[in-house]
Amino acid sequence: MHTFLLMVVWAILSGASADTQQTDVETLMDNVVVLRVPSFTGSMVHVPLTCGEAFQNEPVFWKKNGQELNPPLQGNQVQVLVEEMKGGNYTCHLSPSGEYLNHTMILIQLNPDNRTVILENREGGHIHCSAPNYTGFFHCSWKRTALRSDASVVLVKAERFTEDIPCELDADASGVRCQDAHCPYKEEQHHISFTVYIRSHARLEAYTKSFYLREIVRPSKLPNLHISDGKVFSWDYPDTWEKPCAYFGLQFEVKLVHSGHPCNSDNQIINITTDTTKYEVGVKTKKYVFCVRAQDKFTRGPWSHWSQCT
C-alpha cells in the first residue's frame, strides 16, 4: 500500500515538473523560441511547433538542421523533444524533399543563472557603450571569446521607459549604432535599457546594460592642438560637441610628461584642470610632451582620449 502511494505521488510530481518545464518555452521573436532551463544537464522538454495556419491541410514534413528526422515527423502541429543543449533549426516542407514552408529556431538558455561564456568580460563589463554628445546617438560594442568566435547576434533591444530605440548592427556584428529621440536640452528622467541576445550553436545568452546618456558621453579628441610663441598651447572644442559651449561646457585636463613617455604616464611635470582652451607653459625644460583631454564639466562623465603635441 505504501509503495502504491509513493508511486502515485511520484507520478503527480513528475507531471507537475513536466508542466513547469513546458511553461519555460517562450517566443523571443518571429521564428525563434527560447527554452529556459535551470540546468543543461538532464533537461528534457517537449516543445510544440506549428508550420503555419496556411498549411493545416498540407502533408507537412519536418527536418532539423537540414536533416530528415528519424523517425519521420509529419503534421502541421507537432511536438519535438529537446534534450539538454540539443536545440536547432526545425524546418517544415511539403514533402521529405519538397518545398520549404517555414522554420522555427529552438535555443536553450540557463535560467535564472545566465552563465556567460560567449562574450569576454572586459573592464566595465561585457557591453561597452559611448556617445560623442547629447544628440541621442550612441554605440555599444562587445567582444566574443576565442572559443565562441562564430557566435551570432540574434536580437538587439534598446528602450527608454516605454519607447523603443532603433539600432543598426555593425558590419562585423561586434556592436550596434543606436539613435535615441532624447532632446539634448531635456534632463533625463529614465535610463536606457540595452540587451543583446547572442547564440553559439543552440546556446543563447542575454547581456544587459542600463545607463543614462549623460553617463556614457565621451567627447571626441580635441582638434587643432598647436603651439605659438614657443610656449602657448591652444586647441578647439570637438566638431561633434554640442553648441552653445556655455550650456554644454567642457573642462580640460592639461598634463606635461617627460619626453618619451605616454600621456597616461605617472612620470609627469604638470597636471592641472582648466576651463579655457589655451595654456601657457612656464617650465624651463623643453623636453616634454604636452597632453590635453576633455570632460563634460557638469556631469563629470568619461574623459576623451588624449591629444598631444611635442
Side-chain angles (χ1 to χ4, degrees), residues 127 135 198 260 305:
I127 307 295
T135 59
I198 300 184
H305 296 293

Coordinates of all heavy atoms in Angstrom, one line a residue, residues 127 135 198 260 305:
I127 N 29.4 44.6 -22.0 CA 29.0 45.6 -23.0 C 29.6 47.0 -22.7 O 29.5 47.4 -21.6 CB 27.4 45.7 -23.0 CG1 26.8 44.3 -23.2 CG2 26.9 46.6 -24.1 CD1 27.1 43.6 -24.5
T135 N 23.1 64.3 -28.7 CA 22.1 64.3 -29.7 C 21.3 63.0 -29.7 O 20.3 62.9 -30.4 CB 22.7 64.4 -31.1 OG1 23.7 63.3 -31.3 CG2 23.5 65.7 -31.3
I198 N 22.8 36.7 -27.9 CA 23.8 36.1 -28.8 C 23.7 34.6 -28.6 O 23.6 34.1 -27.5 CB 25.2 36.6 -28.4 CG1 25.2 38.2 -28.6 CG2 26.3 36.0 -29.2 CD1 26.6 38.8 -28.4
G260 N 59.3 61.2 -24.3 CA 59.4 59.8 -24.5 C 58.3 59.0 -23.7 O 58.2 57.7 -23.9
H305 N 39.9 60.8 -25.3 CA 41.2 60.3 -25.4 C 42.2 61.5 -25.5 O 41.8 62.6 -25.9 CB 41.3 59.5 -26.7 CG 40.5 58.2 -26.7 ND1 40.8 57.2 -25.8 CD2 39.4 57.9 -27.4 CE1 39.9 56.2 -26.0 NE2 39.0 56.6 -26.9

